[in-house]
Amino acid sequence: MQQQASAGAAAPEPVHELPEVSRRDIVQRLLKLGAVSLAAALGSGASLQPLLARAEEVNPRGKKKRRYGMVIDTRRCVGCDACVAACKAENKTPPGVSYTIVLEQGLGERPDDRPLFMTKPCFHCEHPPCVPVCPVGATFKRSQDGIVVVDYDRCIGCRYCIVACPYQARYSDFGDNYPAVEEHTPWASVPSPEYRQFRTRKEGKSPEGNVRKCTFCLHLQDENGEYDRASGRWPACAKTCTGKAIHFGDLNDPTSEVSLLLKERQAIRLKEELGTEPNVYYLL
Ligand code: SF4
Ligand code: SF4
């Protein structure tokens, strides 16, 4: 069951801006997947109308205005996992699905060495390898802010994107539930605000069976696509970080905190050699 956002609030823009999908794109994707007969049927004129109609309906083809990203200070992260818990509480993710994790690299050889902790959400890559492998266009990068999303109503759960992501940032929702959900306690009926769709967990219903990932708490944007830290509309992990290690903002804005940090401090991105251009940086 889906619920609408609270009555009286200004109607927000849809958080899913679907990419345009041409017949040619789909035929090429099917051929790559080896689905030759279906590709041939589509190539000879079989109807694509439902997909095309939906894409045209909701895609305003807006220009990208922002590039949201994170700058994570490895010197400040204490490995407390508060970001992991905050993300779970915000997005109501089930067992086995965690949109952010904290990696720990062990102690060095010197007695005063401390472990290195790195919190690791989806990197919302500029060139995300997870996107082109999706055979149904369910995962895509939003043109207006660079956030990579999954349309649960399109996703068929094939998990190609999990294999393609070099950062292990995607998870499959196998339908597992916490005991509180299975026993239908009041907690079980709390809908997830994800994508502002407010879905409650129901056996066999989306997002069960879908692939899921961090969205930079996209549902907290206002109707102009902006976050507001002062009023709490800020990604849950960054808002909660006890060490103040997670900085979030618009990397296209030269005056944003994240842009200024990148000018002042030495930063790295993981697996840069792959050309994915992650929008999450780590300060050393
Ligand atoms: Fe896609 Fe993985 Fe990059 Fe996230 S980190 S955008 S899931 S390739
Ligand atoms: Fe696309 Fe869903 Fe398959 Fe991922 S699991 S590639 S989002 S259809």
Side-chain angles (χ1 to χ4, degrees), residues 181-197:
V181 176
E182 286 163 2
E183 290 160 15
H184 301 293
T185 61
W187 190 91
S189 61
V190 177
S192 169
E194 210 177 12
Y195 298 117
R196 225 177 275 132
Q197 292 175 334

Side-chain angles (χ1 to χ4, degrees), residues 122-125 128-130 148 165-167 169-170 213:
C122 168
F123 294 161
H124 299 274
C125 307
C130 56
V148 175
C165 170
Y167 304 108
R170 289 178 169 251
K213 62 178 276 299

